């Protein structure tokens, strides 16, 4: 299997690049943010529980997120691989993912971290806000999301670095150029 983690702060381009990667490598896309938004849209019990946290830009507790992720993986027994977008966001989530994949006789192949400056992120999210109706894209909520990223999520990087699985890719510039850079990394993992 080819199991990729696409890593980066809010606005780094994870969604855009994931879409291109799933088309190119025929992977199943798992975005925990999209899954939560679907639960909120469908007004499920889970959606009701997490909607305030998400609107405020805070992380959803690990236990809730991990359970939802494992359930989603379980829906795709025939998958050639997965691309994890927006997960893991804490070291506990990374450990849980490793354990879960190991129980399925597989594991994370590699992690691509999109490198983007904080200044560029703020500009991009302001643009996205004009076209999306994500409640968490406004300036104050974005500040919280970036805080969560630098407070909790960034610690996931050394976790994968120690495993020799982390590659950083410049996330600023032309979408196709960034995609080509990611592809050349992933192609070395496929061999
Ligand atoms: P995203 O679309 O990935 O930016 O996620 C939107 C929001 O969903 C985040 O700001 C969090 O509130 C929540 N969320 C998504 N993925 C996770 C995760 N792996 N752990 C905790 N909260 C998450």
């Amino acid at each position: 299997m080819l199991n990729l983690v696409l890593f980066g702060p809010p606005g780094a381009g994870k969604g855009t690049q994931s879409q291109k990667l799933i088309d190119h490598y025929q992977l199943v896309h798992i975005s925990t943010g999209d899954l939560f938004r679907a639960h909120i849209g469908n007004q499920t019990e889970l959606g009701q529980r997490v909607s305030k946290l998400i609107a405020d830009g805070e992380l959803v507790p690990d236990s809730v997120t991990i359970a939802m992720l494992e359930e989603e993986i379980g829906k795709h027994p025939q998958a050639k691989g997965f691309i994890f977008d927006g997960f893991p966001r804490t070291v506990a989530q990374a450990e849980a993912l490793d354990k879960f994949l190991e129980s399925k006789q597989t594991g994370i192949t590699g992690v691509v971290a999109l490198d983007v400056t904080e200044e560029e992120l703020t500009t991009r999210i302001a643009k996205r806000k004009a076209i999306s109706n994500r409640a968490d894209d406004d300036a104050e909520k974005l500040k919280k999301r970036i805080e969560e990223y630098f407070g909790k999520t960034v610690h996931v990087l050394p976790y994968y670095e120690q495993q020799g699985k982390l590659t950083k890719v410049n996330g600023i510039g032309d979408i196709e150029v960034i995609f080509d850079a990611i592809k050349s990394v992933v192609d070395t993992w496929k061999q």
Side-chain angles (χ1 to χ4, degrees):
M1 284 180 98
L2 179 65
N3 295 316
L4 307 177
V5 173
L6 195 56
F7 196 87
K14 298 188 294 289
T16 306
Q17 295 296 338
S18 292
Q19 201 52 53
K20 299 179 76 63
L21 287 164
I22 54 172
D23 291 345
H24 187 80
Y25 294 105
Q26 273 93 52
L27 303 174
V28 173
H29 182 208
I30 300 195
S31 155
T32 41
D34 286 352
L35 292 172
F36 283 132
R37 282 185 286 276
H39 274 284
I40 293 169
N42 295 329
Q43 299 185 333
T44 66
E45 198 209 318
L46 174 66
Q48 284 165 4
R49 262 198 291 158
V50 302
S51 70
K52 185 166 182 336
L53 288 172
I54 292 182
D56 289 345
E58 286 174 36
L59 292 189
V60 174
D62 285 337
S63 57
V64 176
T65 308
I66 292 164
M68 180 181 74
L69 177 103
E70 292 184 355
E71 191 193 324
E72 191 63 24
I73 295 177
K75 289 181 188 164
H76 303 279
Q78 307 299 334
K80 283 165 63 181
F82 293 93
I83 175 148
F84 299 102
D85 161 8
F87 186 98
R89 265 178 156 96
T90 63
V91 173
Q93 290 180 13
E95 287 169 350
L97 180 61
D98 273 352
K99 226 166 139 189
F100 188 69
L101 292 177
E102 209 180 299
S103 77
K104 309 244 171 239
Q105 279 81 49
T106 183
I108 291 297
T109 314
V111 178
V112 174
L114 290 170
D115 227 1
V116 180
T117 59
E118 201 169 333
E119 194 190 356
E120 169 82 10
L121 298 176
T122 315
T123 317
R124 284 190 193 177
I125 302 235
K127 278 194 200 146
R128 183 166 86 186
K129 187 178 172 354
I131 50 168
S132 82
N133 49 8
R134 282 183 55 162
D136 57 351
D137 273 351
D138 77 43
E140 188 196 324
K141 304 299 161 56
L142 171 63
K143 200 168 152 249
K144 181 71 200 163
R145 286 162 61 207
I146 291 180
E147 256 172 51
E148 291 283 67
Y149 177 79
F150 287 103
K152 298 173 186 162
T153 305
V154 86
H155 304 297
V156 173
L157 287 173
Y159 177 85
Y160 287 118
E161 201 160 26
Q162 277 156 24
Q163 296 185 8
K165 289 184 177 170
L166 178 72
T167 300
K168 290 187 185 171
V169 170
N170 173 24
I172 301 183
D174 184 79
I175 290 174
E176 293 304 325
V177 174
I178 298 169
F179 181 55
D180 284 344
I182 297 176
K183 263 191 314 194
S184 43
V185 171
V186 173
D187 286 341
T188 63
W189 291 336
K190 276 189 77 189
Q191 286 155 14

